[in-house]
Amino acid sequence: MCWQKEKKAFIFFSSALFLYFCCIDIAQMDINQNYREAVKTIKEAILRSQYRAAASVNKEQLSLYYGIGRYVSENSRTGFWGKGAIEQISSLLQKELPGLRGFSATSIRNMRIFYEEWDKVLNHQPTADDLVLNEKLLLVEIHQPLADEFNWADFLSIGFSHHTEIISKAKTLEARLFYIHECATRYWSKYTLRDYLKADLYSHRGTLPNNFAQTLPDTKQALKAVCSFKDEYLLDFINVEELNEQEEDLDEKIVEKAIVTNVKKFIMTFGQDFSFIGNQYRVEVAGEEMFIDLLFFNRELNSLVAVELKSGKFRTSYLGQLNTYLSALDTYIRKPHENPSIGIILCREMNQTFVEFAVRDYNKPMGVATYRASKDMPERLRNALPDIEDLKKLL
């Protein structure tokens, strides 16, 4: 009997102890959650403060450089200063202010270019608070321009070195505003900006609605992905007369069959670095089967490329489906040395602006392109195409 009482007491004590530690764990979880929320709130406040401080510093710096650029431009372009004046001024500045950085002859020329390039855009009329030095050098307080497309906060949030890179490589106002916005919102370093400028991202940005810049962390990989796909493909081996059937699935199977039959032509249309892996590629996840329409591997990207065929107009549901396929490929198929899988939706029609909006918040790299056969083209353009027999003779 004593043994049974001791056993019951032990069980009761163990249960109570277990419940006690469970309560402690739950309480600790609540405390940790509160801590995480506090950290998140404080972190956001710090980042906002740092952003405002950086913008304030940038405004002062840009105003200074803009004013110096104007002063140098007005005196050097009219011939008032002699040859080599900027080099001499830079050298004298170094003597007057030992250790002064950022005022080499090259930097001063960049300030002059900065002023001259933005002079027609910025609303830079001086105010009563503008500072005049020696009654000659006017440190202009630059103000927001009147153009609606100009984002003043973006302009002030990036440094002078970024502005210099953008001015030297982007020659139109639209392109410059694009790179300024991208630098401001994506926090590009100067070297990342250089890579995108070199690849002329502005010109390529509209070729394929995609989210590569956000989802591919490596800049060069994102650039390669942007340059590897177009926004429209001419698949002249597809018999359009067989399309537009009653059933959408039937249309897609016709397109898929035509592509598989002419896979060499399809690859040459997409790019020579593509290798065909298979169609209706099966992937199983938690007992559920999925079939990817077309699966390729791109040697340049070192990535699997899943292509989903859609016979009609783009729908947002296609992105969710493709996102799941890419997750499955990355989890079960992708090799350790390969880059993240990329998905392309190939459909007959799309509203490009709407697609760019729809795809931006997905965490897998995806793009949307359209396709058409030669018979889909206007008769004027179709007649301009060379006859296939003539091409064969030339080859």
Side-chain angles (χ1 to χ4, degrees), residues 139-150:
L139 299 187
V140 181
E141 183 180 351
I142 53 179
H143 302 285
Q144 182 170 2
L146 301 177
D148 293 335
E149 70 275 11
F150 201 108

Side-chain angles (χ1 to χ4, degrees), residues 85-299:
I86 293 178
E87 283 78 4
Q88 186 67 16
I89 290 170
S90 174
S91 178
L92 291 173
L93 276 173
Q94 299 296 331
K95 292 179 181 179
E96 292 287 335
L97 298 169
L100 180 67
R101 300 180 62 181
F103 287 88
S104 65
T106 299
S107 295
I108 294 175
R109 286 195 181 90
N110 285 336
M111 294 173 200
R112 180 174 63 181
I113 293 171
F114 179 66
Y115 161 73
E116 292 172 348
E117 292 295 322
W118 288 111
D119 177 44
K120 296 179 181 179
V121 179
L122 296 176
N123 176 21
H124 59 273
Q125 295 301 317
T127 67
D129 296 329
D130 288 332
L131 179 62
V132 180
L133 296 180
N134 295 330
E135 298 180 354
K136 292 181 180 180
L137 177 57
L138 183 64
L139 299 187
V140 181
E141 183 180 351
I142 53 179
H143 302 285
Q144 182 170 2
L146 301 177
D148 293 335
E149 70 275 11
F150 201 108
N151 190 313
W152 188 234
D154 288 349
F155 186 89
L156 295 179
S157 67
I158 68 173
F160 182 69
S161 60
H162 284 71
H163 279 288
T164 300
E165 293 286 341
I166 291 170
I167 288 172
S168 65
K169 299 295 193 303
K171 298 306 179 184
T172 66
L173 175 61
E174 292 77 12
R176 289 172 179 175
L177 294 179
F178 167 78
Y179 288 112
I180 288 172
H181 177 72
E182 293 299 305
C183 287
T185 56
R186 306 196 189 284
Y187 308 106
W188 287 350
S189 69
K190 179 174 68 174
Y191 304 102
T192 300
L193 171 62
R194 281 180 182 173
D195 287 337
Y196 281 122
L197 285 166
K198 184 178 180 181
D200 194 11
L201 179 63
Y202 174 74
S203 298
H204 287 289
R205 82 201 189 290
T207 57
L208 179 84
N210 66 83
N211 61 358
F212 298 151
Q214 302 98 293
T215 55
L216 294 173
D218 182 77
T219 303
K220 292 184 178 179
Q221 178 72 0
L223 286 170
K224 288 178 182 178
V226 168
C227 296
S228 295
F229 304 98
K230 297 182 290 186
D231 66 337
E232 186 173 61
Y233 294 94
L234 175 61
L235 307 182
D236 55 1
F237 49 80
I238 295 177
N239 185 0
V240 294
E241 294 176 358
E242 296 181 8
L243 298 179
N244 302 318
E245 301 286 344
Q246 294 294 322
E247 298 181 23
E248 186 173 307
D249 289 343
L250 180 61
D251 291 349
E252 293 168 6
K253 288 178 181 178
I254 291 171
V255 176
E256 181 184 331
K257 181 180 177 181
I259 289 175
V260 173
T261 303
N262 300 274
V263 69
K264 185 176 180 180
K265 291 183 179 179
F266 183 80
I267 288 174
M268 293 305 294
T269 302
F270 258 68
Q272 60 183 4
D273 286 313
F274 286 85
S275 299
F276 181 54
I277 295 179
N279 64 303
Q280 293 301 309
Y281 190 88
R282 178 181 174 275
V283 183
E284 184 177 336
V285 178
E288 298 287 338
E289 290 183 319
M290 295 181 291
F291 296 90
I292 301 171
D293 287 345
L294 300 167
L295 186 62
F296 296 86
F297 185 82
N298 185 282
R299 294 174 59 203

